[in-house]
């Protein structure tokens, strides 16, 4: 993030914010890394347990129940030049396109969802955690198909951000 700030924002991420997806495993460090680099971070996560774990371990500062609440926090913090992070419960395949639709432009967009594992690592759009866990056992091919379709929507939104001039990257 520091290097992205150097390349795109004259070396400073103060007053900037990063949009990302995923707070499990490797992705859990992104909000902390953003804050350490001087930026705010909105991290979209579908598993409430992952958000709660990142709150307990201080890798994320706040939790939002709605996109509007998360955006209000980000707006307030960036205006004040604060570097803070918020975890938003939701599916990145829903939230990223909604932000595009609303014309919201983060300063950097990235992703750390577990798209490398479409059966066990990526919740399909419209599915509950319980449905997903059940279907991984009973019909993994259906999970993979639905997850890949959701990934397509998610990545299309990331490309939309890129096309709008937002630095968009993946680790």
């Amino acid at each position: 993030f520091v290097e992205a700030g150097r390349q795109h924002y004259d070396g400073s991420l103060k007053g900037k914010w990063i949009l990302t997806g995923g707070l499990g495993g490797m992705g859990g460090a992104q909000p902390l890394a953003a804050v350490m680099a001087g930026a705010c971070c909105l991290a979209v996560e579908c598993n409430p347990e992952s958000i709660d774990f990142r709150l307990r371990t201080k890798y994320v500062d706040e939790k939002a129940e709605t996109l509007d609440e998360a955006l209000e926090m980000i707006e307030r913090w960036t205006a004040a030049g604060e570097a803070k992070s918020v975890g938003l419960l939701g599916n990145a395949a829903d939230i990223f396109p909604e932000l595009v639709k609303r014309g919201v432009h983060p300063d950097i967009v990235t992703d750390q969802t577990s798209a490398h594992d479409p059966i066990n690592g990526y919740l399909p759009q419209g599915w509950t955690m319980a449905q997903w866990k059940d279907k991984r056992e009973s019909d993994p091919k259906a999970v993979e198909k639905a997850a890949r379709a959701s990934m397509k929507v998610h990545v299309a939104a990331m490309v939309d951000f890129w096309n709008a001039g937002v630095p968009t990257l993946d680790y």
Side-chain angles (χ1 to χ4, degrees), residues 31-77:
L32 181 60
V35 168
M36 290 174 73
C40 289
C41 181
L42 169 53
V44 180
E45 171 57 52
C46 63
N47 184 347
E49 292 174 8
S50 293
I51 295 174
D52 291 341
F53 177 73
R54 297 306 174 187
L55 282 166
R56 281 193 314 275
T57 57
K58 309 269 191 248
Y59 274 59
V60 70
D61 296 309
E62 302 283 343
K63 178 180 181 178
E65 299 296 327
T66 68
L67 178 56
D68 290 332
E69 180 186 11
L71 290 174
E72 183 278 322
M73 289 176 185
I74 292 292
E75 184 177 322
R76 183 169 23 95
W77 296 334

Short mmCIF file of all heavy atoms in Angstrom, two decimals, residues 31-77:
data_model
loop_
_atom_site.label_atom_id
_atom_site.label_comp_id
_atom_site.label_asym_id
_atom_site.label_seq_id
_atom_site.Cartn_x
_atom_site.Cartn_y
_atom_site.Cartn_z
N PRO A 31 -6.65 -4.51 6.29
CA PRO A 31 -7.03 -3.28 6.98
C PRO A 31 -5.89 -2.72 7.83
O PRO A 31 -5.67 -1.51 7.85
CB PRO A 31 -8.22 -3.70 7.85
CG PRO A 31 -8.73 -4.95 7.25
CD PRO A 31 -7.56 -5.62 6.62
N LEU A 32 -5.17 -3.59 8.50
CA LEU A 32 -4.05 -3.15 9.32
C LEU A 32 -2.95 -2.54 8.44
O LEU A 32 -2.40 -1.49 8.75
CB LEU A 32 -3.50 -4.31 10.14
CG LEU A 32 -2.32 -3.99 11.06
CD1 LEU A 32 -2.69 -2.93 12.08
CD2 LEU A 32 -1.86 -5.28 11.75
N ALA A 33 -2.66 -3.18 7.32
CA ALA A 33 -1.65 -2.66 6.40
C ALA A 33 -2.05 -1.30 5.84
O ALA A 33 -1.23 -0.39 5.72
CB ALA A 33 -1.40 -3.66 5.26
N ALA A 34 -3.33 -1.15 5.52
CA ALA A 34 -3.82 0.13 5.00
C ALA A 34 -3.63 1.23 6.04
O ALA A 34 -3.12 2.32 5.74
CB ALA A 34 -5.29 0.03 4.60
N VAL A 35 -4.02 0.95 7.26
CA VAL A 35 -3.90 1.93 8.35
C VAL A 35 -2.42 2.25 8.59
O VAL A 35 -2.06 3.42 8.76
CB VAL A 35 -4.60 1.42 9.62
CG1 VAL A 35 -4.25 2.27 10.84
CG2 VAL A 35 -6.13 1.40 9.40
N MET A 36 -1.58 1.25 8.60
CA MET A 36 -0.15 1.48 8.80
C MET A 36 0.43 2.35 7.68
O MET A 36 1.39 3.10 7.90
CB MET A 36 0.59 0.15 8.89
CG MET A 36 0.29 -0.61 10.17
SD MET A 36 1.03 -2.25 10.20
CE MET A 36 2.74 -1.82 10.45
N ALA A 37 -0.16 2.26 6.49
CA ALA A 37 0.29 3.07 5.34
C ALA A 37 -0.34 4.45 5.34
O ALA A 37 -0.05 5.26 4.46
CB ALA A 37 -0.02 2.33 4.04
N GLY A 38 -1.24 4.72 6.30
CA GLY A 38 -1.86 6.05 6.42
C GLY A 38 -3.22 6.19 5.79
O GLY A 38 -3.78 7.28 5.76
N ALA A 39 -3.79 5.09 5.28
CA ALA A 39 -5.09 5.13 4.59
C ALA A 39 -6.20 4.57 5.46
O ALA A 39 -5.96 3.89 6.46
CB ALA A 39 -5.02 4.32 3.29
N CYS A 40 -7.41 4.82 5.04
CA CYS A 40 -8.58 4.14 5.59
C CYS A 40 -8.84 2.90 4.73
O CYS A 40 -8.37 2.82 3.60
CB CYS A 40 -9.81 5.05 5.55
SG CYS A 40 -9.71 6.39 6.74
N CYS A 41 -9.60 1.98 5.28
CA CYS A 41 -9.89 0.74 4.55
C CYS A 41 -11.32 0.31 4.82
O CYS A 41 -11.76 0.28 5.97
CB CYS A 41 -8.93 -0.36 4.99
SG CYS A 41 -9.17 -1.93 4.12
N LEU A 42 -12.01 -0.03 3.76
CA LEU A 42 -13.32 -0.68 3.83
C LEU A 42 -13.11 -2.11 3.35
O LEU A 42 -12.79 -2.34 2.18
CB LEU A 42 -14.35 0.04 2.96
CG LEU A 42 -15.69 -0.66 2.73
CD1 LEU A 42 -16.36 -1.06 4.03
CD2 LEU A 42 -16.61 0.21 1.90
N ALA A 43 -13.25 -3.06 4.26
CA ALA A 43 -13.05 -4.48 3.97
C ALA A 43 -14.39 -5.19 4.00
O ALA A 43 -15.06 -5.24 5.03
CB ALA A 43 -12.09 -5.10 4.97
N VAL A 44 -14.79 -5.74 2.87
CA VAL A 44 -16.06 -6.46 2.74
C VAL A 44 -15.80 -7.93 3.05
O VAL A 44 -14.91 -8.55 2.47
CB VAL A 44 -16.63 -6.30 1.32
CG1 VAL A 44 -17.95 -7.05 1.19
CG2 VAL A 44 -16.79 -4.83 0.96
N GLU A 45 -16.58 -8.48 3.97
CA GLU A 45 -16.39 -9.87 4.41
C GLU A 45 -17.75 -10.52 4.60
O GLU A 45 -18.63 -9.94 5.23
CB GLU A 45 -15.59 -9.91 5.72
CG GLU A 45 -15.50 -11.25 6.39
CD GLU A 45 -14.91 -12.35 5.54
OE1 GLU A 45 -13.81 -12.16 4.97
OE2 GLU A 45 -15.55 -13.42 5.43
N CYS A 46 -17.91 -11.74 4.09
CA CYS A 46 -19.20 -12.44 4.17
C CYS A 46 -19.38 -13.24 5.45
O CYS A 46 -20.50 -13.62 5.78
CB CYS A 46 -19.37 -13.35 2.95
SG CYS A 46 -18.14 -14.67 2.84
N ASN A 47 -18.29 -13.49 6.17
CA ASN A 47 -18.37 -14.31 7.37
C ASN A 47 -18.29 -13.41 8.60
O ASN A 47 -17.23 -12.85 8.89
CB ASN A 47 -17.22 -15.33 7.37
CG ASN A 47 -17.28 -16.29 8.53
OD1 ASN A 47 -18.03 -16.09 9.48
ND2 ASN A 47 -16.49 -17.33 8.45
N PRO A 48 -19.37 -13.31 9.37
CA PRO A 48 -19.34 -12.44 10.55
C PRO A 48 -18.27 -12.87 11.57
O PRO A 48 -17.72 -12.02 12.27
CB PRO A 48 -20.75 -12.56 11.14
CG PRO A 48 -21.34 -13.78 10.54
CD PRO A 48 -20.66 -13.99 9.23
N GLU A 49 -17.96 -14.15 11.63
CA GLU A 49 -16.93 -14.62 12.56
C GLU A 49 -15.56 -14.06 12.20
O GLU A 49 -14.75 -13.76 13.08
CB GLU A 49 -16.90 -16.15 12.59
CG GLU A 49 -18.15 -16.76 13.20
CD GLU A 49 -18.18 -18.28 13.11
OE1 GLU A 49 -17.15 -18.89 12.71
OE2 GLU A 49 -19.23 -18.85 13.43
N SER A 50 -15.29 -13.90 10.90
CA SER A 50 -14.00 -13.34 10.48
C SER A 50 -13.90 -11.87 10.87
O SER A 50 -12.84 -11.42 11.31
CB SER A 50 -13.82 -13.50 8.96
OG SER A 50 -13.69 -14.85 8.62
N ILE A 51 -14.99 -11.14 10.73
CA ILE A 51 -14.97 -9.73 11.13
C ILE A 51 -14.75 -9.63 12.64
O ILE A 51 -13.92 -8.84 13.10
CB ILE A 51 -16.27 -9.00 10.73
CG1 ILE A 51 -16.40 -8.95 9.21
CG2 ILE A 51 -16.30 -7.59 11.32
CD1 ILE A 51 -17.72 -8.38 8.71
N ASP A 52 -15.48 -10.43 13.40
CA ASP A 52 -15.34 -10.38 14.85
C ASP A 52 -13.93 -10.75 15.30
O ASP A 52 -13.38 -10.13 16.21
CB ASP A 52 -16.37 -11.30 15.51
CG ASP A 52 -17.79 -10.78 15.36
OD1 ASP A 52 -17.97 -9.58 15.08
OD2 ASP A 52 -18.73 -11.59 15.51
N PHE A 53 -13.32 -11.73 14.64
CA PHE A 53 -11.95 -12.12 14.96
C PHE A 53 -10.99 -10.96 14.69
O PHE A 53 -10.12 -10.66 15.51
CB PHE A 53 -11.54 -13.36 14.17
CG PHE A 53 -10.12 -13.77 14.40
CD1 PHE A 53 -9.73 -14.36 15.60
CD2 PHE A 53 -9.16 -13.57 13.42
CE1 PHE A 53 -8.41 -14.73 15.82
CE2 PHE A 53 -7.83 -13.94 13.63
CZ PHE A 53 -7.46 -14.53 14.83
N ARG A 54 -11.16 -10.28 13.56
CA ARG A 54 -10.27 -9.16 13.21
C ARG A 54 -10.49 -7.97 14.15
O ARG A 54 -9.54 -7.23 14.43
CB ARG A 54 -10.45 -8.76 11.76
CG ARG A 54 -10.09 -9.85 10.76
CD ARG A 54 -8.69 -10.39 10.97
NE ARG A 54 -8.44 -11.52 10.09
CZ ARG A 54 -7.36 -12.26 10.15
NH1 ARG A 54 -6.42 -12.02 11.04
NH2 ARG A 54 -7.20 -13.27 9.32
N LEU A 55 -11.69 -7.80 14.65
CA LEU A 55 -11.93 -6.76 15.67
C LEU A 55 -11.21 -7.10 16.96
O LEU A 55 -10.55 -6.25 17.56
CB LEU A 55 -13.43 -6.61 15.93
CG LEU A 55 -14.24 -5.84 14.91
CD1 LEU A 55 -15.74 -6.07 15.13
CD2 LEU A 55 -13.91 -4.36 14.96
N ARG A 56 -11.34 -8.35 17.41
CA ARG A 56 -10.70 -8.78 18.66
C ARG A 56 -9.19 -8.66 18.60
O ARG A 56 -8.54 -8.32 19.58
CB ARG A 56 -11.08 -10.24 19.00
CG ARG A 56 -12.43 -10.41 19.60
CD ARG A 56 -12.62 -11.81 20.20
NE ARG A 56 -12.19 -12.91 19.36
CZ ARG A 56 -12.94 -13.48 18.40
NH1 ARG A 56 -14.16 -13.03 18.15
NH2 ARG A 56 -12.48 -14.49 17.70
N THR A 57 -8.61 -8.96 17.44
CA THR A 57 -7.16 -8.95 17.30
C THR A 57 -6.63 -7.59 16.84
O THR A 57 -5.43 -7.45 16.60
CB THR A 57 -6.70 -10.04 16.32
OG1 THR A 57 -7.35 -9.86 15.06
CG2 THR A 57 -7.02 -11.42 16.86
N LYS A 58 -7.54 -6.61 16.72
CA LYS A 58 -7.17 -5.22 16.38
C LYS A 58 -6.63 -5.06 14.95
O LYS A 58 -5.90 -4.13 14.66
CB LYS A 58 -6.17 -4.66 17.38
CG LYS A 58 -6.58 -4.82 18.83
CD LYS A 58 -7.36 -3.63 19.29
CE LYS A 58 -7.53 -3.65 20.80
NZ LYS A 58 -8.85 -3.86 21.26
N TYR A 59 -7.00 -5.99 14.06
CA TYR A 59 -6.62 -5.85 12.66
C TYR A 59 -7.63 -4.99 11.91
O TYR A 59 -7.36 -4.52 10.82
CB TYR A 59 -6.52 -7.22 11.99
CG TYR A 59 -5.17 -7.88 12.16
CD1 TYR A 59 -4.66 -8.16 13.43
CD2 TYR A 59 -4.41 -8.22 11.05
CE1 TYR A 59 -3.43 -8.76 13.59
CE2 TYR A 59 -3.16 -8.82 11.21
CZ TYR A 59 -2.69 -9.08 12.48
OH TYR A 59 -1.46 -9.68 12.64
N VAL A 60 -8.80 -4.80 12.50
CA VAL A 60 -9.82 -3.90 11.96
C VAL A 60 -10.36 -3.08 13.13
O VAL A 60 -10.46 -3.59 14.25
CB VAL A 60 -10.92 -4.67 11.18
CG1 VAL A 60 -11.81 -5.48 12.09
CG2 VAL A 60 -11.75 -3.76 10.32
N ASP A 61 -10.66 -1.81 12.87
CA ASP A 61 -11.05 -0.90 13.94
C ASP A 61 -12.54 -0.92 14.28
O ASP A 61 -12.91 -0.81 15.44
CB ASP A 61 -10.66 0.54 13.57
CG ASP A 61 -9.17 0.72 13.45
OD1 ASP A 61 -8.45 0.32 14.39
OD2 ASP A 61 -8.72 1.23 12.41
N GLU A 62 -13.37 -1.00 13.27
CA GLU A 62 -14.82 -0.91 13.47
C GLU A 62 -15.53 -1.94 12.61
O GLU A 62 -14.95 -2.50 11.68
CB GLU A 62 -15.33 0.49 13.08
CG GLU A 62 -14.70 1.64 13.82
CD GLU A 62 -15.24 1.82 15.23
OE1 GLU A 62 -16.30 1.27 15.55
OE2 GLU A 62 -14.56 2.53 16.00
N LYS A 63 -16.82 -2.11 12.89
CA LYS A 63 -17.68 -3.01 12.13
C LYS A 63 -18.90 -2.20 11.69
O LYS A 63 -19.44 -1.42 12.48
CB LYS A 63 -18.11 -4.18 13.01
CG LYS A 63 -19.04 -5.17 12.37
CD LYS A 63 -19.36 -6.27 13.38
CE LYS A 63 -20.27 -7.32 12.80
NZ LYS A 63 -20.52 -8.40 13.78
N ALA A 64 -19.33 -2.39 10.45
CA ALA A 64 -20.53 -1.73 9.95
C ALA A 64 -21.55 -2.79 9.54
O ALA A 64 -21.18 -3.83 9.01
CB ALA A 64 -20.20 -0.84 8.76
N GLU A 65 -22.79 -2.47 9.79
CA GLU A 65 -23.87 -3.39 9.42
C GLU A 65 -24.41 -3.11 8.03
O GLU A 65 -25.00 -4.00 7.41
CB GLU A 65 -25.01 -3.31 10.44
CG GLU A 65 -24.60 -3.69 11.86
CD GLU A 65 -24.14 -5.15 11.99
OE1 GLU A 65 -24.67 -6.02 11.27
OE2 GLU A 65 -23.25 -5.40 12.82
N THR A 66 -24.22 -1.88 7.54
CA THR A 66 -24.73 -1.52 6.21
C THR A 66 -23.65 -0.80 5.41
O THR A 66 -22.72 -0.21 5.99
CB THR A 66 -25.96 -0.59 6.30
OG1 THR A 66 -25.54 0.69 6.81
CG2 THR A 66 -27.06 -1.18 7.17
N LEU A 67 -23.80 -0.81 4.11
CA LEU A 67 -22.87 -0.09 3.25
C LEU A 67 -22.92 1.41 3.54
O LEU A 67 -21.87 2.06 3.60
CB LEU A 67 -23.20 -0.36 1.78
CG LEU A 67 -22.35 0.36 0.74
CD1 LEU A 67 -20.86 0.09 0.94
CD2 LEU A 67 -22.80 -0.01 -0.66
N ASP A 68 -24.11 1.95 3.74
CA ASP A 68 -24.22 3.38 4.03
C ASP A 68 -23.46 3.74 5.31
O ASP A 68 -22.78 4.76 5.37
CB ASP A 68 -25.68 3.81 4.14
CG ASP A 68 -26.39 3.80 2.80
OD1 ASP A 68 -25.72 3.98 1.76
OD2 ASP A 68 -27.62 3.60 2.79
N GLU A 69 -23.58 2.90 6.33
CA GLU A 69 -22.86 3.14 7.58
C GLU A 69 -21.35 3.11 7.36
O GLU A 69 -20.61 3.96 7.85
CB GLU A 69 -23.28 2.09 8.63
CG GLU A 69 -22.59 2.24 9.96
CD GLU A 69 -22.92 1.11 10.93
OE1 GLU A 69 -23.52 0.09 10.53
OE2 GLU A 69 -22.54 1.26 12.11
N ALA A 70 -20.89 2.12 6.60
CA ALA A 70 -19.45 2.01 6.32
C ALA A 70 -18.96 3.22 5.54
O ALA A 70 -17.89 3.77 5.85
CB ALA A 70 -19.17 0.72 5.55
N LEU A 71 -19.71 3.65 4.54
CA LEU A 71 -19.30 4.81 3.73
C LEU A 71 -19.28 6.09 4.56
O LEU A 71 -18.40 6.94 4.36
CB LEU A 71 -20.20 4.96 2.51
CG LEU A 71 -20.03 3.89 1.44
CD1 LEU A 71 -21.09 4.06 0.36
CD2 LEU A 71 -18.63 3.90 0.85
N GLU A 72 -20.21 6.21 5.50
CA GLU A 72 -20.22 7.39 6.37
C GLU A 72 -18.96 7.41 7.22
O GLU A 72 -18.33 8.47 7.39
CB GLU A 72 -21.48 7.38 7.25
CG GLU A 72 -21.62 8.60 8.15
CD GLU A 72 -20.81 8.52 9.43
OE1 GLU A 72 -20.73 7.42 10.01
OE2 GLU A 72 -20.24 9.55 9.85
N MET A 73 -18.56 6.25 7.74
CA MET A 73 -17.33 6.18 8.53
C MET A 73 -16.12 6.57 7.68
O MET A 73 -15.29 7.38 8.09
CB MET A 73 -17.12 4.76 9.08
CG MET A 73 -18.06 4.35 10.15
SD MET A 73 -17.72 2.60 10.57
CE MET A 73 -19.03 2.30 11.75
N ILE A 74 -16.04 5.99 6.50
CA ILE A 74 -14.92 6.27 5.60
C ILE A 74 -14.88 7.76 5.26
O ILE A 74 -13.80 8.38 5.29
CB ILE A 74 -15.01 5.41 4.31
CG1 ILE A 74 -14.80 3.92 4.63
CG2 ILE A 74 -14.05 5.90 3.23
CD1 ILE A 74 -13.40 3.55 5.08
N GLU A 75 -16.01 8.34 4.96
CA GLU A 75 -16.07 9.76 4.62
C GLU A 75 -15.59 10.62 5.79
O GLU A 75 -14.79 11.55 5.62
CB GLU A 75 -17.49 10.15 4.22
CG GLU A 75 -17.61 11.59 3.75
CD GLU A 75 -19.02 11.93 3.30
OE1 GLU A 75 -19.68 11.08 2.68
OE2 GLU A 75 -19.46 13.07 3.59
N ARG A 76 -16.06 10.30 6.97
CA ARG A 76 -15.68 11.06 8.17
C ARG A 76 -14.18 10.94 8.44
O ARG A 76 -13.50 11.93 8.69
CB ARG A 76 -16.50 10.57 9.37
CG ARG A 76 -16.26 11.31 10.66
CD ARG A 76 -17.29 10.97 11.75
NE ARG A 76 -17.98 9.71 11.64
CZ ARG A 76 -17.59 8.58 12.26
NH1 ARG A 76 -16.54 8.58 13.05
NH2 ARG A 76 -18.29 7.47 12.12
N TRP A 77 -13.66 9.73 8.38
CA TRP A 77 -12.25 9.51 8.68
C TRP A 77 -11.34 10.14 7.64
O TRP A 77 -10.33 10.74 7.99
CB TRP A 77 -11.95 8.01 8.78
CG TRP A 77 -12.66 7.30 9.90
CD1 TRP A 77 -13.10 7.83 11.09
CD2 TRP A 77 -13.00 5.92 9.94
NE1 TRP A 77 -13.70 6.86 11.86
CE2 TRP A 77 -13.65 5.67 11.18
CE3 TRP A 77 -12.83 4.86 9.07
CZ2 TRP A 77 -14.10 4.41 11.55
CZ3 TRP A 77 -13.28 3.61 9.43
CH2 TRP A 77 -13.91 3.39 10.67
#
